[in-house]
Amino acid sequence: MNHDRDTLLTLFDREMREHARPDGPGVRVERAGDVVRQVGAADDWNGVVWSAPDLDAVRADAAIAAQVAHYTALGHDEFEWKLYAHDRPLDLAERLLAAGFEAEEPETLLVAPVAGLSTAVELPEGVRLRTVSDADDVELMARAHEQAFGSDWSRLRQQVLARLTEDPDSFVGVLAMAGDEPVSSARMELYPGTGFAGLWGGGTVEAWRGRGIYRSLVAFRTRIAAERGYGYLQVDASDQSSPILQRLGFLALSTTIPYVYRPSH
């Protein structure tokens, strides 16, 4: 299998965007003209995941207006247009901003063949990894995430609980525990039929950083993905995570920026 960047990006665009599958229970994926979007309840991730590669200026403006009308009519307090650097037209970002969207922090799209990654877990003394199995574990994930990132986890908490109870076969939560204290947590989303699994989270409490826990969380999830027959791992990586992941064997394919529309603003 050819694993050059162009081949992987084409595969990712087709499997994970144009032919996207719902990312949880109770949500649906719709092809609406020139875009593919996910629609769910207010606590679910709602947004546009793909737009036609031949989108021109007139059709782009029409598609943007149609999505704003659609999600606003549903009463959601926000939705996202997930824009990639190679999406067309070239000024799509400016058109989204002109329509009232707000740009979030850019991330690097990274993909790696599972077979090329290490599955060796090397943890500091006193730390162990285990998978998440119940609501109490989700609270530990939330505590680790909020301490690591300093951000509220309430919406993610609802999504993770729903996945764990209603669709556990396509979700893996992992905790790094030092005694009874969660020091890191991470998630893996499995996308049946695509060959891809996505790595999310991976935040470590400050006092435990720089000791290999993040790498071990990647290796631990890689092992599970391989056991379940997935060929590729995908990450939308921050500036902090991207260099580590590239050293582990991930390829940077593109950048992605969430453009968020909040009707009340």
Side-chain angles (χ1 to χ4, degrees):
M1 175 68 72
N2 188 348
H3 291 139
D4 66 74
R5 285 176 173 79
D6 289 344
T7 303
L8 286 174
L9 185 58
T10 299
L11 182 67
F12 176 84
D13 278 343
R14 183 180 72 236
E15 295 295 332
M16 295 294 291
R17 301 183 65 205
E18 185 178 4
H19 300 292
R21 281 73 161 174
D23 74 357
V27 300
R28 62 189 182 276
V29 171
E30 302 172 341
R31 179 72 178 258
D34 281 319
V35 307
V36 172
R37 66 191 179 204
Q38 178 167 292
V39 181
D43 278 335
D44 295 315
W45 186 88
N46 287 271
V48 173
V49 296
W50 177 87
S51 57
D54 62 347
L55 205 58
D56 60 24
V58 173
R59 283 163 51 213
D61 287 342
I64 292 167
Q67 302 322 303
V68 169
H70 178 76
Y71 285 103
T72 302
L74 292 175
H76 292 337
D77 58 2
E78 68 175 51
F79 78 96
E80 184 177 309
W81 187 301
K82 196 158 172 54
L83 183 72
Y84 290 78
H86 58 287
D87 288 346
R88 296 293 182 266
L90 290 172
D91 63 350
L92 185 52
E94 286 76 16
R95 294 176 183 279
L96 289 166
L97 292 171
F101 287 75
E102 300 170 9
E104 307 269 284
E105 288 299 309
E107 296 171 314
T108 302
L109 169 65
L110 299 169
V111 171
V114 169
L117 298 175
S118 170
T119 57
V121 173
E122 299 171 2
L123 290 163
E125 186 73 28
V127 176
R128 70 189 192 283
L129 299 184
R130 63 178 176 84
T131 55
V132 168
S133 61
D134 57 26
D136 289 341
D137 286 347
V138 175
E139 291 308 309
L140 292 173
M141 284 187 80
R143 194 193 312 171
H145 181 96
E146 289 173 350
Q147 287 183 17
F149 293 108
S151 57
D152 179 56
W153 213 63
S154 53
R155 178 171 284 192
L156 264 173
R157 180 189 279 110
Q158 296 306 315
Q159 294 176 12
V160 168
L161 278 170
R163 292 297 291 274
L164 197 59
T165 55
E166 299 173 45
D167 191 21
D169 290 342
S170 65
F171 171 82
V172 177
V174 185
L175 282 165
M177 302 292 296
D180 295 329
E181 192 61 28
V183 296
S184 190
S185 67
R187 316 186 308 281
M188 181 165 64
E189 308 274 352
L190 304 166
Y191 308 108
T194 67
F196 282 86
L199 303 186
W200 301 91
T204 301
V205 175
E206 188 169 4
W208 289 88
R209 290 175 190 162
R211 299 168 68 177
I213 295 176
Y214 182 87
R215 290 195 309 275
S216 292
L217 285 167
V218 173
F220 186 82
R221 288 175 288 172
T222 298
R223 184 186 302 166
I224 294 171
E227 289 169 353
R228 299 195 187 182
Y230 285 82
Y232 302 95
L233 291 179
Q234 169 258 324
V235 187
D236 292 344
S238 67
D239 289 344
Q240 290 76 37
S241 302
S242 181
I244 302 170
L245 290 164
Q246 291 187 63
R247 287 196 295 272
L248 295 178
F250 283 77
L251 288 173
L253 304 186
S254 187
T255 55
T256 178
I257 298 177
Y259 283 80
V260 179
Y261 189 88
R262 298 179 176 92
S264 58
H265 284 202

